[in-house]
């Protein structure tokens, strides 16, 4: 049974990933800050435990900005092979623009959107390296694309995702000798708490598209930036 570890799996795109992988019989390590309050995930875990399928969902407490907790969870899962590591947890942060920049609010966004996926890659590289699939998936945003930015705005979020893109590109080169593939997704404009109710794509549609890409990528695709529908996005 292949296994996946997902951060921010309690709601939005992360929860949709958990549903999708579990339904296909994967072993899902679903991480969230507050497992006691993660009712949807807990219900999914119960359904999978009682269903006649191979899938299983294990909940883990994880704030991705907590380096010691990442190290602790890595020790707990030391014997696991993790085929796909999905760095999904993310925040929008303050939307303040030029002339009113919230400098204090900027660094916490970097902690979550940029530093945390790097910490996760360092923390779980051994589990990924010993898996069959050896894939790290970083959920970024088209707002982190330099080439697609014609309008500005959301400088805090954009810069954190642009930096995540660079982290991902570097990881793709540095982890290639270990056979690990690293790809980046824009999940679409998705109807979650972050995307809002008017968004064009449902979490299920976004994840269905990304799962199709995940199925077909090879090490030759490492370091590429994909839209959820499989089209490539310029850096
Ligand atoms: N929705 C869109 O249109 C859109 C577009 C482009 C990119 N994205 C990206 O897609 C990813 C998922 O977004 P979403 O739309 O599903 O957002 P969401 O509905 O706001 O969910 C965000 C998830 O991240 C978790 N999270 C935030 N900070 C965390 C931390 N420090 N430790 C652990 N978990 C943390 C949240 O947990 P809590 O419940 O504990 O807060 C929640 O599970 C993000 O990286 C986002 O930037 C989304």
């Amino acid at each position: 049974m292949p296994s996946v570890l997902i951060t921010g799996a309690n709601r939005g795109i992360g929860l949709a990933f958990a549903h999708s992988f579990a339904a296909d019989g994967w072993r899902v390590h679903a991480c969230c800050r507050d497992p006691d309050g993660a009712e949807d995930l807990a219900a999914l875990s119960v359904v999978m435990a009682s269903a006649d399928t191979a899938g299983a969902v294990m909940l883990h407490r994880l704030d991705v900005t907590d380096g010691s907790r990442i190290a602790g969870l890595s020790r707990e899962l030391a014997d696991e092979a993790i085929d796909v590591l999905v760095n999904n947890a993310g925040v929008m942060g303050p939307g303040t623009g030029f002339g009113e920049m919230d400098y204090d609010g900027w660094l916490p966004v970097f902690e979550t959107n940029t530093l945390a996926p790097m910490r996760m890659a360092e923390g779980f590289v051994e589990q990924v390296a010993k898996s069959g699939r050896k894939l790290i998936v970083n959920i970024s945003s088209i707002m982190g694309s330099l080439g697609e930015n014609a309008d500005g705005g959301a400088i805090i979020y954009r810069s954190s995702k642009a930096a995540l893109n660079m982290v991902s590109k570097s990881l793709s080169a540095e982890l290639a000798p270990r056979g690990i593939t690293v790809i980046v997704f824009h999940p679409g404009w998705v109807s979650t708490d972050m995307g809002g109710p008017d968004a064009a794509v449902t979490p299920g549609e976004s994840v269905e598209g990304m799962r199709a890409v995940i199925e077909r990528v090879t090490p030759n695709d490492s370091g590429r930036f994909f839209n959820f529908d499989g089209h490539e996005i310029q850096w």
Side-chain angles (χ1 to χ4, degrees):
M1 188 193 311
S3 88
V4 58
L5 188 150
I6 306 162
T7 64
N10 56 307
R11 60 187 169 98
I13 294 167
L15 180 63
F17 265 125
H19 273 277
S20 173
F21 279 111
D24 285 349
W26 287 54
R27 194 170 157 76
V28 178
H29 294 286
C31 302
C32 59
R33 285 195 273 206
D34 177 21
D36 299 332
E39 292 166 10
D40 294 335
L41 258 189
L44 176 63
S45 178
V46 169
V47 167
M48 295 315 296
S50 59
D52 189 20
T53 64
V57 176
M58 281 72 59
L59 274 66
H60 304 285
R61 185 179 301 279
L62 180 66
D63 181 326
V64 294
T65 63
D66 183 345
S68 61
R69 177 59 195 137
I70 289 175
L73 183 58
S74 179
R75 282 193 297 274
E76 288 169 31
L77 301 179
D79 296 333
E80 295 274 331
I82 295 175
D83 291 272
V84 182
L85 167 61
V86 181
N87 286 311
N88 163 76
V91 291
M92 178 62 75
T96 50
F98 186 83
E100 50 172 12
M101 186 54 69
D102 180 350
Y103 291 98
D104 292 335
W106 201 335
L107 287 176
V109 177
F110 261 77
E111 287 279 354
T112 303
N113 292 358
T114 314
L115 277 64
M118 183 72 195
R119 287 189 201 276
M120 290 295 293
E122 288 195 316
F124 288 93
V125 66
E126 298 302 333
Q127 291 89 335
V128 173
K130 70 182 169 193
S131 74
R133 202 67 181 79
K134 299 184 179 57
L135 181 62
I136 296 177
V137 172
N138 289 336
I139 306 300
S140 181
S141 170
I142 199 167
M143 293 181 77
S145 164
L146 304 189
E148 296 285 342
N149 183 4
D151 302 324
I155 287 178
I156 290 178
Y157 182 71
R158 282 184 186 279
S159 60
S160 73
K161 292 295 193 181
L164 171 61
N165 291 353
M166 184 57 87
V167 165
S168 306
K169 189 74 179 175
S170 290
L171 281 178
S172 72
E174 294 193 25
L175 298 182
R178 303 198 65 176
I180 295 174
T181 300
V182 182
I183 61 170
V184 181
F185 276 118
H186 168 55
W189 178 29
V190 188
S191 53
T192 62
D193 292 335
M194 184 184 288
D198 298 331
V201 180
T202 67
E205 291 165 345
S206 171
V207 164
E208 187 183 348
M210 290 191 281
R211 289 275 328 268
V213 178
I214 286 169
E215 284 301 312
R216 68 171 165 77
V217 289
T218 71
N220 289 335
D221 297 308
S222 200
R224 294 177 68 187
F225 185 9
F226 294 102
N227 194 26
F228 76 101
D229 64 6
H231 286 101
E232 192 145 16
I233 296 178
Q234 58 177 329
W235 293 114

